[in-house]
Amino acid sequence: MTIRTTRILVALLAASCVSAAAAQSVIRPEHAVRHAGQTGMVCGKVEKTRYAENSEGQPTFLHMGGMFPRHTFSARIPQELRGRFRPTPEELEGRDVCVIGTIQRDASRAEIAIASPNDVKLATIE
């Protein structure tokens, strides 16, 4: 585990109550696809936020692990949850976050479908 990942994890634990199961495994975006089918916590920088308003369900994607379309991980926020995020999904671009949930495989990438704004934690690094 890198120092940066350790700092993100420590900051998250101090800022909020994260379940012991999720706290045990911090997964980098580029390694998330290896954990498909598992519940985990993927932490990294949101490289790009994309509101797919012309797609079915109008999801918002938080792309991590590289710039779209070469990213390695996405968090998918359903339309009905967009307005409940503080900060907004667009304000997360360029910031470090951790996403908690079941990791699924989407083509050659990994993805977590967000069920609640509580599944995305802003990482504050001191």
Side-chain angles (χ1 to χ4, degrees), residues 76-85 89 113-117 119:
R76 182 171 29 90
I77 301 169
Q79 167 64 25
E80 60 271 13
L81 293 182
R82 268 183 61 83
R84 294 178 44 201
F85 274 82
I114 303 300
S116 163
D119 293 343

Side-chain angles (χ1 to χ4, degrees), residues 60-108:
T60 299
F61 294 95
L62 305 178
H63 297 303
M64 298 163 65
M67 290 298 288
F68 178 82
R70 292 188 171 93
H71 60 288
T72 59
F73 175 81
S74 293
R76 182 171 29 90
I77 301 169
Q79 167 64 25
E80 60 271 13
L81 293 182
R82 268 183 61 83
R84 294 178 44 201
F85 274 82
R86 297 294 177 260
T88 67
E90 289 74 19
E91 292 171 332
L92 294 174
E93 192 169 308
R95 299 177 81 175
D96 289 307
V97 301
C98 290
V99 181
I100 301 166
T102 302
I103 302 166
Q104 300 298 321
R105 190 178 186 102
D106 178 35
S108 62

Side-chain angles (χ1 to χ4, degrees), residues 9 15-17 24 33-34 37 43 54 64-65 73 79 90 94 98 101 106-108 122 125:
L9 181 58
S16 64
C17 296
Q24 289 177 6
V33 74
R34 299 178 192 168
C43 297
N54 294 324
M64 298 163 65
F73 175 81
Q79 167 64 25
E90 289 74 19
C98 290
D106 178 35
S108 62
L122 185 60
I125 302 173

